[in-house]
Amino acid sequence: MENQNDARAKGLSPIRDKRVRNVIERMNQSRRQPDRSAFAGPSRHDAEAFADYGFSIHPDQGDLIYLLCRAMGATRVVDFATSVGMSAVYFAAAMRDNGGGLVIGSELVQAKVDVAVQNLADAGLSSFAEIRQGDARQTLTDLGGTVDFVLIDGWPQPEGPSLARQVIEIVSPQLRVGGYVLNDNAEPDFLDYIRDDANGFISITLPIKRGTELALKIA
Ligand SMILES: C[S@@+](CC[C@H](N)C(=O)[O-])C[C@H]1O[C@@H](n2cnc3c(N)ncnc32)[C@H](O)[C@@H]1O
């Protein structure tokens, strides 16, 4: 049976636009990981210390975001966090291909915002994204109306609740019923929130990366 990597090697992707695909390909080619020791050092929680690393979503997650956004006709979506713009490009391509829409991104590190803005421009998608520089716990409190889809792709905290948990609590009231949440890092307190019936979601764990949680808001 043909696997995903074979399919991708043949250039199969739900995204048809060459410019968008070229930018995604370029970002994938330049992926790199910091040395393991960086995750043990005193700066391990400092996002500025990792300004040169994207930590971007897996291509399967990007394709899923694109397909779901197309299927539901999404026009307003949240990209937390944006980093160098991989997830933002998938979202923005769906907005454009749906006939128009807006990606509201959030990224703490200015240098990463600059790279994301350039990647979106190179993909011809600038007019479909607004990247808000700063702490998502401030920049995403007012999304200016309901949204259709939220990516929760956060960053480790030294202590206390995860960023994923804090941000889902901020954006969940602004997500419409019938909207989706996709989570990358399976933070335990995020999973507790999204799997608690009292919060109005049903969810499944997809076998992508270490487990990608996809949740649908039903109430
Ligand atoms: C896993 S990366 C996001 C990758 C991105 N979704 C992509 O596909 O390219 C997480 C990002 O969160 C950013 N970050 C950390 N703390 C943040 C905060 N409080 N508010 C907004 N962004 C934050 C980091 O700088 C980092 O770029």
Side-chain angles (χ1 to χ4, degrees):
M1 202 175 90
E2 186 176 74
N3 69 31
Q4 256 289 22
N5 291 336
D6 296 334
R8 198 162 286 113
K10 287 182 189 162
L12 295 173
S13 161
I15 297 180
R16 297 283 177 258
D17 186 284
K18 279 264 164 53
R19 250 176 113 182
V20 175
R21 287 168 61 152
N22 287 343
V23 170
I24 290 171
E25 176 63 16
R26 186 177 76 198
M27 281 192 268
N28 277 322
Q29 295 293 337
S30 59
R31 272 180 197 268
R32 58 199 191 97
Q33 282 291 327
D35 193 84
R36 275 182 160 274
S37 60
F39 297 118
S43 305
R44 65 186 181 282
H45 298 296
D46 179 4
E48 293 285 351
F50 294 90
D52 293 337
Y53 301 92
F55 304 108
S56 294
I57 57 167
H58 189 278
D60 292 346
Q61 295 172 318
D63 285 347
L64 183 63
I65 284 172
Y66 178 82
L67 272 181
L68 289 172
C69 285
R70 291 300 310 276
M72 74 195 300
T75 57
R76 304 190 78 249
V77 299
V78 171
D79 179 47
F80 167 68
T82 296
S83 187
V84 294
M86 182 76 88
S87 44
V89 165
Y90 280 99
F91 271 128
M95 298 302 100
R96 194 263 316 276
D97 296 346
N98 278 346
L102 183 68
V103 184
I104 300 167
S106 174
E107 174 53 53
L108 193 61
V109 179
Q110 181 65 54
K112 288 186 157 185
V113 175
D114 295 344
V115 175
V117 165
Q118 188 60 55
N119 281 327
L120 285 156
D122 292 347
L125 296 169
S126 300
S127 53
F128 304 98
E130 167 195 315
I131 311 303
R132 300 179 179 180
Q133 191 276 324
D135 187 327
R137 292 166 292 190
Q138 272 99 55
T139 62
L140 299 181
T141 53
D142 181 3
L143 299 172
T146 56
V147 294
D148 303 302
F149 200 120
V150 176
L151 173 69
I152 300 285
D153 184 14
W155 188 259
Q157 294 297 286
E159 58 194 21
S162 70
L163 260 186
R165 172 65 181 252
Q166 294 179 64
V167 173
I168 191 61
E169 290 192 16
I170 290 164
V171 297
S172 177
Q174 305 177 77
L175 177 68
R176 73 167 167 90
V177 171
Y180 284 110
V181 179
L182 189 82
N183 165 250
D184 182 34
N185 299 312
E187 293 88 345
D189 60 350
F190 169 86
L191 295 176
D192 288 345
Y193 178 92
I194 217 80
R195 293 172 181 169
D196 180 346
D197 287 348
N199 295 319
F201 289 92
I202 51 175
S203 77
I204 55 172
T205 308
L206 300 168
I208 304 174
K209 287 178 76 179
R210 299 167 298 271
T212 296
E213 196 76 3
L214 177 65
L216 174 69
K217 187 168 177 180
I218 58 163

